[in-house]
Amino acid sequence: MNFNLSEEHLMIREAARDFARTELLPGVIERDTNQTFPHEQIKKLGELGFMGMMVDPKYSGSGLDTISYVLAMEELSKIDASASVVVSVNNSLVCWGLDTFGSEAQKEKYLPRLAAGEHIGAFCLSEPEAGSDATSQSTTAEDKGDYYLLNGTKNWITHGLSAETTVVLARTGELLDSRGITAFVVERGTPGFRGGK
């Protein structure tokens, strides 16, 4: 096995390192202290292709491999853990799921903006009584024929107040039935859907 990094891997790592030092480091303490979302920095990360690293280029992604993604995450995390979590959630929990399991219509609608950093994604799993145990969650999705009615409360959601696109996990089957969990894409502004502190 060859454990050496490719030229492309080295370029990605260097680009992430340079961005972290020049764009994330200035103001990182103030952003953390004031709990300020790094909107400007995330927009720039999107322009550089870091918000959709493994997304297929046909949906405006970078089409890179997992090693590239991990190298970038490592460099960003060294300087600004908060910004790196934004990149991680958007890439791993939202874009990857949509790119891997979404319908063609969902991919075309959501991935280009997510990959470009124009929209931020959130992954809504954790609940007050169930934590991150999806099989014990109380959020339900009731099939109403041409739509699903979701009811429940999620907590501790990274990007809960900043996301335009969310992936919400809800029970469509019986409690404790792992096959009865479904992921739904819910947009900010959907009636009844709101974020709290």
Side-chain angles (χ1 to χ4, degrees):
M1 289 183 94
N2 180 0
F3 291 102
N4 293 322
L5 297 175
S6 70
E7 284 287 324
E8 184 177 50
H9 291 144
L10 294 172
M11 280 183 9
I12 296 295
R13 183 173 68 184
E14 190 55 41
R17 181 180 295 159
D18 182 59
F19 184 89
R21 290 177 178 167
T22 60
E23 299 289 339
L24 294 178
L25 184 57
V28 67
I29 301 301
E30 292 81 7
R31 287 192 304 276
D32 279 355
T33 301
N34 299 322
Q35 299 178 18
T36 305
F37 192 86
H39 290 286
E40 182 181 323
Q41 292 79 9
I42 296 306
K43 185 175 186 312
K44 290 179 182 178
L45 281 163
E47 291 167 0
L48 292 172
F50 287 106
M51 296 302 288
M53 293 188 73
M54 297 176 290
V55 173
D56 190 315
K58 111 179 194 183
Y59 306 112
S60 303
S62 299
L64 297 169
D65 64 4
T66 308
I67 293 173
S68 298
Y69 170 60
V70 170
L71 290 168
M73 286 301 305
E74 186 176 50
E75 294 302 324
L76 300 175
S77 299
K78 287 178 187 177
I79 302 294
D80 188 342
S82 296
S84 72
V85 167
V86 176
V87 174
S88 174
V89 168
N90 204 70
N91 273 284
S92 299
L93 297 176
V94 181
C95 287
W96 181 83
L98 281 167
D99 200 21
T100 306
F101 300 108
S103 68
E104 187 60 31
Q106 288 171 327
K107 292 177 186 183
E108 289 174 1
K109 182 175 183 178
Y110 298 111
L111 284 175
R113 287 185 177 168
L114 289 164
E118 295 169 10
H119 282 185
I120 303 297
F123 186 76
C124 304
L125 166 62
S126 299
E127 294 188 355
E129 301 300 321
S132 58
D133 177 4
T135 61
S136 296
Q137 68 180 313
S138 60
T139 298
T140 59
E142 186 180 348
D143 188 349
K144 294 291 190 177
D146 58 347
Y147 69 95
Y148 279 85
L149 177 63
L150 276 66
N151 282 300
T153 300
K154 300 294 184 176
N155 283 73
W156 313 293
I157 304 303
T158 304
H159 312 150
L161 297 176
S162 305
E164 291 85 9
T165 306
T166 62
V167 175
V168 180
L169 274 71
R171 271 194 307 107
T172 50
E174 297 300 315
L175 189 63
L176 303 179
D177 177 7
S178 63
R179 292 168 298 189
I181 306 297
T182 303
F184 295 88
V185 179
V186 181
E187 298 175 13
R188 185 197 298 182
T190 298
F193 183 73
R194 63 180 173 79
K197 183 154 179 142

